[in-house]
Amino acid sequence: SLTITHTSTQADLHLYRFYARLDLPSNHYYTPHMAVSNDVPLPRNFKLLAEFDAAIGKQGESNIKGEHIGWIQYGADDSKDDPYLHHWQGMIFGPQGKQTGELMYMFTVYCSDNYPSDPPKIKFQGPKMAMKAVDAQGNVDLTKLVPPFKWNTNNNIADALMAIRTNMCDSTVANQSYPLRNQNYS
């Protein structure tokens, strides 16, 4: 069994519960900075743990880069007892300098057991937006983003979210989304 030897954060307790269910020998330790060849994909659970660490800013790191820093917030959905990190949630702030800049777009993410081979399923809850990649129920089709987002196993949830926010910054999307600001997806 694992022993927590320092003041534990909520994230540490989440990881502890995860490892306790794996029943690993005590000499197996997780480190988010394991050296992995690009030819060998990181196993799902370790990749998601590294993404979780980046989402909470552990060790000052984040997968959100460039113009999107501070405008995309996401993490594991704490309302679910999900040690395998299938369920995530978050929000994207509308593009600053556009009519939708004051809006916060809430979303959920689902990572299947085949993640990262399969892309994450992203669904907006609200407000609605006028983007070709988002259907009437709020589901995002990453292949319909402009430019098209091609998922591969080296991508992460943050890459998909940054591609979505880049599309939200398009003036046509922002202008056509503004009238929908008081509507949510069902």
Side-chain angles (χ1 to χ4, degrees):
S1 100
L2 297 174
T3 304
I4 299 176
T5 58
H6 62 284
T7 304
S8 300
T9 65
Q10 192 70 7
D12 292 326
L13 293 174
H14 188 77
L15 290 173
Y16 174 78
R17 288 194 326 253
F18 174 81
Y19 281 114
R21 289 184 185 183
L22 290 179
D23 197 28
L24 292 172
S26 61
N27 62 342
H28 284 78
Y29 299 101
Y30 162 71
T31 169
H33 306 291
M34 291 191 277
V36 177
S37 164
N38 286 337
D39 298 334
V40 179
L42 191 60
R44 177 196 184 280
N45 293 344
F46 289 107
K47 181 172 177 69
L48 284 171
L49 285 170
E51 289 188 49
F52 177 80
D53 284 348
I56 64 170
K58 192 169 187 176
Q59 297 179 351
E61 294 185 17
S62 174
N63 287 336
I64 303 295
K65 306 291 183 209
E67 67 191 69
H68 305 292
I69 294 173
W71 303 112
I72 299 173
Q73 304 295 321
Y74 73 107
D77 186 343
D78 291 336
S79 71
K80 311 242 189 255
D81 183 21
D82 182 19
Y84 298 105
L85 298 172
H86 290 99
H87 302 275
W88 299 65
Q89 63 183 355
M91 70 178 154
I92 296 176
F93 290 90
Q96 301 304 291
K98 309 275 187 200
Q99 289 179 319
T100 53
E102 66 194 38
L103 302 176
M104 294 179 287
Y105 293 87
M106 308 303 289
F107 62 86
T108 60
V109 178
Y110 179 78
C111 296
S112 74
D113 289 336
N114 293 325
Y115 180 86
S117 296
D118 293 345
K121 294 183 188 313
I122 301 168
K123 182 179 190 324
F124 280 96
Q125 298 168 315
K128 285 190 173 184
M129 68 180 76
M131 185 187 305
K132 291 178 185 176
V134 181
D135 71 15
Q137 290 75 43
N139 299 302
V140 178
D141 182 344
L142 295 171
T143 64
K144 291 185 178 179
L145 293 173
V146 179
F149 182 77
K150 186 169 171 52
W151 179 263
N152 67 61
T153 58
N154 292 322
N155 289 123
N156 57 49
I157 296 168
D159 292 325
L161 297 174
M162 289 185 292
I164 292 167
R165 188 167 186 279
T166 295
N167 275 241
M168 292 170 69
C169 291
D170 179 85
S171 293
T172 302
V173 171
N175 291 338
Q176 292 177 357
S177 294
Y178 187 71
L180 305 173
R181 69 191 176 279
N182 295 319
Q183 301 174 38
N184 290 321
Y185 295 102
S186 55

